[in-house]
Amino acid sequence: MTKIVVANRGEIAIRVMKTAKKMGIKTVAVYSTADRNALHVKYADEAVCIGEAASSQSYLRGDKIIEVCKKLNADAVHPGYGFLSENSQFAELCENNNIIFIGPKSKAIEMMGNKLAAKDAVKEYDIPMVPGTENAITDIEEAKKIATQIGFPILIKAAAGGGGKGMRVVEKESDFTSQMDRAISEAINAFGDGSVFIEKYVTKPRHIEIQVMADSHGNIIYVFERECSIQRRHQKVVEEAPSSILTPELRKRMGDAAVKVARACDYLGAGTVEFLLDEQLNFYFLEMNTRLQVEHPITEMISGLDLVELQIRVARGEELPMKQEDLKINGHAMELRVYAEDSMNDFLPNVGFLSKYQLPEGEGIRVDNGIEEGMDVPIYYDPMLSKLVTYGKTREEAIELMIKAIDNYHIEGVATTLPFGKFVMEHEAFRSGDFDTGFVKSYYNPEKMKAQLDIEAEIAAMIALKQYLADKKILRLPN
């Protein structure tokens, strides 16, 4: 493998390119007209414009990416996450054109891409699952009967879904029809498929995911867990590794279950098996993400592994260089997704011109970044600017370093999730480890947080004024 086309943009494109360069592999960036001056374009060895700003005309055009591979004699494509990373047709297109898709085979992507098919595939491995329907439903009356049998509250989920789309929690029977209508409509708009299924809603769950890595020689390892319970609109914002709640015994049981899921679909490369954990520490299989996760850096920090390097190595046929017993957890890592979102206004996207953009630096601080000062945050794509990661010997150390890093991350021109990240790090429920996926709903109060920020700004201004007057007085003193 001598040249890789990175079929993505932003921080993940740069992240992949850094490892490729370390391995002596040339990189090719693809970009849209909106990303002509983007950092990933500057960082690559070569770059090709593949279409207009809209992702449907650029980053989602698998045919154009294949053309670039052929024209520039690239051996492989790394899809990153999002866009074409879990598109089985694109993976198959690569296979048919003798281009290495750095990820699982198309059959595994297809199987795990549909939540019902995934559950069916792992059924024989005796992996615990949340009670619910085994088949997709579009008939609302039939669905209501099933929901009543399972017992409220229930969760309606899009069969082809992801990212919290087509998902509705229904507390009582009277709300069922309206919520079912909304879930089906949202699933059709997001995925072109209105099929949904029903699960018992696990109250106060924690979202725990296990990182797996598989080679083509039958070896599968799990690289511990990530805690992803701090979410807004069913999407993650803060992640940590390891989880503060897992015992070594539970970690092994969940890791072994994740390996079985990977084996069920003949998996290759990096993948993540997601579980719900209830208050009694029972875990239930949710789904498998057949790609590199956004939050992979925290796993790298505690394991010492480069997951992108392992992806590339197994994609070119190499055996994994380590066994399960070689892996150890060292320290603790936190990650905050820095989105251009207004956390004071329901986390709505807040794109615009970055008049100031200064990254925090220091030991134990890692920023996977995809943008720079003087650039516009485009409206066409996911509003993530970067991932802020901190590492410490203990959880407490990682939290304190995250607070310091947030304070030293200076952004002007757009609202971001930095203030929300600081709120989480300072909240007693998070610090104690006693939290679940309802954290935002239970504790987050934007009005109260805004008032606190105003007080802090006022204090900072008073300190600055006092210092200014003191300096002025010193300057006036006679020689």
Side-chain angles (χ1 to χ4, degrees):
M1 198 182 290
T2 58
K3 189 186 287 188
I4 293 173
V5 170
V6 182
N8 217 298
R9 62 181 299 280
E11 59 84 21
I12 187 57
I14 295 169
R15 163 72 192 90
V16 171
M17 290 172 189
K18 281 182 177 177
T19 286
K21 287 194 176 189
K22 182 181 77 175
M23 297 174 74
I25 300 169
K26 298 283 185 188
T27 59
V28 179
V30 293
Y31 63 94
S32 71
T33 51
D35 277 339
R36 194 173 296 279
N37 299 311
L39 279 185
H40 78 282
V41 175
K42 298 173 187 176
Y43 195 85
D45 295 299
E46 297 173 84
V48 180
C49 182
I50 55 168
E52 296 301 313
S55 54
S56 60
Q57 296 175 52
S58 51
Y59 296 107
L60 290 172
R61 287 291 301 270
D63 55 336
K64 289 191 175 184
I65 291 164
I66 295 294
E67 277 178 27
V68 171
C69 290
K70 289 182 172 179
K71 186 179 177 184
L72 298 181
N73 296 316
D75 314 285
V77 171
H78 195 302
Y81 54 73
F83 294 133
L84 294 168
S85 63
E86 292 182 283
N87 186 309
S88 60
Q89 291 174 319
F90 177 63
E92 190 174 0
L93 193 61
C94 289
E95 290 162 13
N96 292 341
N97 283 277
N98 295 317
I99 294 162
I100 298 168
F101 179 79
I102 302 176
K105 300 301 178 191
S106 56
K107 284 180 182 176
I109 297 174
E110 189 173 356
M111 186 186 292
M112 291 294 152
N114 183 295
K115 291 184 174 68
L116 287 173
K119 287 186 172 193
D120 194 51
V122 304
K123 203 187 297 178
E124 64 181 89
Y125 287 86
D126 198 28
I127 292 164
M129 283 183 257
V130 181
T133 56
E134 293 186 4
N135 300 306
I137 303 169
T138 49
D139 185 303
I140 291 177
E141 285 308 310
E142 182 198 346
K144 190 187 280 188
K145 285 179 193 170
I146 295 166
T148 307
Q149 287 167 6
I150 294 171
F152 290 91
I154 58 103
L155 190 63
I156 302 169
K157 296 169 84 171
K165 294 180 176 69
M167 190 182 288
R168 288 283 183 277
V169 178
V170 187
E171 302 282 353
K172 52 188 188 293
E173 190 176 338
S174 57
D175 295 337
F176 184 81
T177 303
S178 62
Q179 295 287 42
M180 185 79 175
D181 281 334
R182 285 182 190 175
I184 290 172
S185 173
E186 199 171 293
I188 290 169
N189 290 334
F191 313 112
D193 182 350
S195 304
V196 297
F197 64 101
I198 295 168
E199 283 182 346
K200 176 72 179 168
Y201 181 64
V202 179
T203 55
K204 295 191 173 181
R206 293 177 78 125
H207 188 140
I208 307 287
E209 60 185 30
I210 307 286
Q211 175 72 58
V212 295
M213 183 69 71
D215 63 24
S216 55
H217 302 270
N219 303 303
I220 308 174
I221 57 171
Y222 65 89
V223 194
F224 314 118
E225 81 280 359
R226 295 182 288 258
E227 169 84 60
C228 306
S229 299
I230 307 293
Q231 307 177 359
R232 58 28 179 167
R233 295 193 295 275
H234 301 292
Q235 291 181 305
K236 307 159 191 170
V237 190
V238 173
E239 298 107 345
E240 64 178 302
S243 169
S244 61
I245 201 170
L246 261 61
T247 61
E249 295 76 25
L250 182 55
R251 178 174 293 118
K252 185 178 186 310
R253 281 199 289 124
M254 292 181 77
D256 289 344
V259 167
K260 286 178 181 176
V261 171
R263 214 172 284 288
C265 64
D266 193 22
Y267 201 74
L268 178 71
T272 299
V273 182
E274 306 206 351
F275 296 98
L276 280 184
L277 192 70
D278 69 16
E279 290 181 281
Q280 288 74 44
L281 301 185
N282 300 306
F283 65 90
Y284 306 96
F285 171 69
L286 259 185
E287 61 180 326
M288 184 177 194
N289 290 318
T290 54
R291 54 172 164 78
L292 193 68
Q293 290 283 85
V294 174
E295 57 273 20
H296 76 273
I298 53 176
T299 295
E300 294 185 326
M301 299 299 268
I302 66 161
S303 67
L305 300 179
D306 181 332
L307 295 178
V308 176
E309 181 178 341
L310 289 177
Q311 278 189 300
I312 292 169
R313 290 194 181 283
V314 299
R316 61 189 187 190
E318 294 179 29
E319 197 167 350
L320 284 169
M322 76 288 293
K323 303 292 181 192
Q324 190 65 55
E325 56 269 23
D326 299 327
L327 300 176
K328 299 283 183 291
I329 295 174
N330 292 304
H332 204 99
M334 293 280 162
E335 177 175 299
L336 169 65
R337 300 188 186 191
V338 184
Y339 286 111
E341 291 180 347
D342 189 350
S343 48
M344 306 296 180
N345 186 21
D346 200 29
F347 295 94
L348 292 174
N350 191 262
V351 296
F353 178 74
L354 286 172
S355 54
K356 187 174 188 178
Y357 193 73
Q358 295 174 358
L359 302 176
E361 295 177 346
E363 189 179 347
I365 297 171
R366 166 178 167 175
V367 187
D368 282 22
N369 180 52
I371 204 154
E372 64 184 344
E373 190 170 290
M375 288 177 67
D376 283 303
V377 180
I379 199 166
Y380 308 99
Y381 316 113
D382 183 277
M384 185 189 287
L385 305 178
S386 72
K387 297 178 308 204
L388 177 58
V389 180
T390 58
Y391 172 82
K393 294 187 191 75
T394 63
R395 185 172 187 264
E396 292 72 25
E397 196 177 308
I399 288 173
E400 290 305 320
L401 191 53
M402 178 61 80
I403 293 168
K404 181 184 172 186
I406 289 169
D407 287 340
N408 290 313
Y409 201 145
H410 303 296
I411 302 176
E412 290 177 13
V414 299
T416 72
T417 49
L418 285 171
F420 173 73
K422 189 172 181 181
F423 169 84
V424 173
M425 295 297 138
E426 292 180 339
H427 199 281
E428 181 51 37
F430 182 77
R431 294 176 80 97
S432 69
D434 184 18
F435 62 93
D436 54 61
T437 55
F439 178 91
V440 170
K441 189 178 177 182
S442 300
Y443 302 116
Y444 185 56
N445 185 325
E447 289 76 22
K448 193 183 285 186
M449 194 170 107
K450 189 174 188 305
Q452 180 62 33
L453 288 172
D454 289 344
I455 291 167
E456 287 176 9
E458 197 175 317
I459 291 168
M462 286 170 67
I463 292 169
L465 178 62
K466 189 178 178 184
Q467 186 62 49
Y468 168 75
L469 293 172
D471 291 346
K472 205 172 178 183
K473 190 175 178 184
I474 290 166
L475 286 171
R476 284 179 180 170
L477 289 173
N479 290 327

